[in-house]
Amino acid sequence: MNTFTIHRLHAREILDSRGRPTVWAECALASGVTGAASTPSGASTGRAEASELRDGEAGRYGGLGCRRAVENIRGTLHEQLQGRVFATQAEFDAELRRIDGTPTLGRIGANATVAVSLAFARAGAAQRGVPLYQHFADLAGRPLRTLPRLTVNLFSGGKHAGEQAPLQDILVVPKRAATTGDALADVAAVYRSAADLIWKKYQQRLLRADEGGLAPLFPDAEAMLGDAVAAITAAGFAAGTDVALAVDVASSHFYRGGRYQLCREPLTPEAMIDRIDAWTRRYPLVSVEDGLSEDDWTHWPALRARLAGRCLTLGDDLLCTQPQRINRAVASGAADALLLKVNQVGTLSDAGEAAALARAAGWKITVSARSGDTEDDWLADLAVGWGAEFIKVGSITQSERLAKYNRLLAIEEATGLPLCPLP
Ligand code: PGA
Ligand code: ZN
């Protein structure tokens, strides 16, 4: 049996794409190989997410420093794990949980455990002499079959763009393109035509949000969706058949007192569902993420029932990649797609359990980056290895995003795998 003996765990504080600290970790195995990985960080976070450990030192990075999380890896985790032999990733991750001892991983810090868990996976792949995507596929016990389809940020609002526009992300979903390479070319054409349109309509150029989406002062949600369709058409594509759209409403962030404050228009949950339904009939949407709030469990099943068969009901803040929340959503019919973010749950194995539950329920999976991300590209390998239908990384103008797209191109070349069939 192939076992993995820990030789050394190391870590350092690095910066993410927002200029905030995050954690980089390295795992050296006794066999002489090493693997390293870094942890991303959200801004539009769900309340049920695993806990990042931040230093809280007001005079340094506004309290967001990660030196304690780093020290926990160099100290506690290194000391307790050095020399230990693990047969599987699941055993290793269970040990991280045991050492932390809290349900949200807040003592060691989920920002520490994510980096260590992924660094162990990278070292494991290196020891086995297989590419990381193959290692992820083997961990999940599934053959490599397809590459994920791209969902790429075009317009941004909400918490990623100073709350200037109501919808957090309007994403472009290439449909006509048969490869990742061609899909990126189509996305770039739409992005260019959107930038022109924004200049003509709003006299705004190069105002980019955290994930690289264009972020003018859209008057309302319909303008965001309508302008996206106009950009697709102006680039010479048929909207809906060549290139479609997806939206992340991120509505937990404007849900107050049982009402959705969409553009200061207080909507009841029923009215919000009607509004989303109208968008899906008027615009070529393939997926609606967080159409309702993370607290509005009662109304999610009605939303899913309304969209079923036409458009995916994708849960991000609602589910937080947490197995218990996914079980609840499956039981109540609250969603039919999972947005998977490893750092929402804290270890690779927990995220794997979340993916397996979603699969067993017949759901689709979108593997997602965070709005604060790094140049690390493990997410591309994860999306391929776990056979995700979609990947959500952000726009095509910033290197922390491009690292993932460029890694997908390399995997596409190496494997020759086809894109996932459209749902
Ligand atoms: P976050 O946003 O990374 O800021 O949480 C991404 C999303 O809501 O999908
Ligand atoms: Zn989201």
Side-chain angles (χ1 to χ4, degrees):
M1 189 171 49
N2 208 346
T3 56
F4 308 96
T5 307
I6 308 295
H7 171 61
R8 177 176 186 244
L9 293 178
H10 186 54
R12 81 173 64 93
E13 184 188 63
I14 62 166
L15 294 185
D16 73 14
S17 53
R18 274 192 282 254
R20 294 179 187 166
T22 187
V23 179
W24 171 92
E26 185 179 60
C27 173
L29 298 179
S31 57
V33 300
T34 60
S38 49
T39 303
S41 177
S44 167
T45 47
R47 273 210 318 277
E49 292 197 19
S51 306
E52 292 179 338
L53 182 65
R54 300 283 185 176
D55 296 339
E57 228 181 288
R60 190 169 180 276
Y61 291 117
L64 295 175
C66 291
R67 285 179 170 169
R68 287 162 64 207
V70 162
E71 271 318 307
N72 285 342
I73 297 172
R74 294 181 179 188
T76 310
L77 292 182
H78 170 75
E79 282 153 22
Q80 297 208 31
L81 296 171
Q82 187 181 33
R84 298 276 307 275
V85 183
F86 295 95
T88 62
Q89 179 82 36
E91 269 181 23
F92 180 79
D93 288 339
E95 195 54 14
L96 294 180
R97 276 209 172 272
R98 193 197 60 75
I99 294 169
D100 178 87
T102 71
T104 62
L105 295 166
R107 205 174 67 81
I108 298 290
N111 42 351
T113 57
V114 166
V116 170
S117 179
L118 285 158
F120 178 80
R122 269 223 169 97
Q127 182 175 302
R128 295 178 60 221
V130 298
L132 187 59
Y133 57 82
Q134 181 67 59
H135 188 57
F136 284 143
D138 296 342
L139 288 180
R142 46 182 301 137
L144 291 169
R145 279 206 199 96
T146 55
L147 301 175
R149 288 196 169 260
L150 306 184
T151 63
V152 183
N153 218 308
L154 183 67
F155 296 144
S156 298
K159 292 225 175 291
H160 295 165
E163 322 257 356
Q164 291 196 142
L167 303 176
Q168 184 177 286
D169 310 314
I170 303 286
L171 305 119
V172 174
V173 187
K175 286 176 79 175
R176 180 192 72 171
T179 64
T180 309
D182 287 346
L184 280 169
D186 288 357
V187 168
V190 175
Y191 193 90
R192 269 198 312 277
S193 86
D196 277 356
L197 182 144
I198 294 311
W199 174 242
K200 289 192 191 114
K201 202 166 160 184
Y202 302 94
Q203 279 76 53
Q204 279 189 33
R205 176 148 256 162
L206 293 178
L207 269 182
R208 293 195 189 118
D210 290 0
E211 297 183 342
L214 298 161
L217 282 165
F218 292 106
D220 53 30
E222 286 72 20
M224 296 182 86
L225 289 158
D227 287 347
V229 171
I232 292 172
T233 311
F237 298 112
T241 42
D242 294 339
V243 178
L245 294 175
V247 62
D248 183 359
V249 184
S251 63
S252 303
H253 305 292
F254 56 82
Y255 180 67
R256 269 166 229 107
R259 295 286 181 275
Y260 290 90
Q261 308 285 337
L262 187 69
C263 280
R264 283 167 286 285
E265 184 189 356
L267 298 176
T268 63
E270 291 76 14
M272 186 69 199
I273 293 171
D274 288 344
R275 184 66 58 93
I276 293 167
D277 184 46
W279 293 338
T280 64
R281 293 176 190 282
R282 185 164 167 202
Y283 307 104
L285 288 166
V286 297
S287 163
V288 175
E289 178 181 339
D290 284 353
L292 298 176
S293 157
E294 63 195 332
D295 297 321
D296 197 2
W297 282 93
T298 5
H299 294 96
W300 272 82
L303 175 65
R304 190 203 50 85
R306 193 78 81 82
L307 304 186
R310 292 185 294 121
C311 186
L312 294 171
T313 303
L314 175 60
D316 173 17
D317 291 355
L318 178 79
L319 306 170
C320 283
T321 318
Q322 308 271 338
Q324 328 81 283
R325 294 177 77 91
I326 294 166
N327 278 330
R328 179 173 176 191
V330 170
S332 61
D336 52 23
L338 166 69
L339 196 84
L340 184 142
K341 294 166 168 168
V342 177
N343 77 323
Q344 281 183 328
V345 64
T347 72
L348 188 58
S349 302
D350 292 310
E353 193 186 330
L357 289 173
R359 282 271 170 255
W363 290 15
K364 307 293 182 214
I365 296 177
T366 297
V367 163
S368 174
R370 301 306 304 248
S371 52
D373 216 290
T374 74
E375 65 280 16
D376 200 337
D377 57 10
W378 55 262
L379 194 83
D381 291 76
L382 190 73
V384 175
W386 286 2
E389 281 78 12
F390 297 103
I391 186 166
K392 181 187 179 198
V393 169
S395 194
I396 49 163
T397 55
Q398 299 173 184
S399 292
E400 79 282 2
R401 317 283 148 196
L402 294 168
K404 283 76 162 169
Y405 293 127
N406 291 341
R407 175 67 183 151
L408 279 179
L409 292 172
I411 298 174
E412 180 164 72
E413 185 191 316
T415 62
L417 289 172
L419 293 182
C420 188
L422 284 159

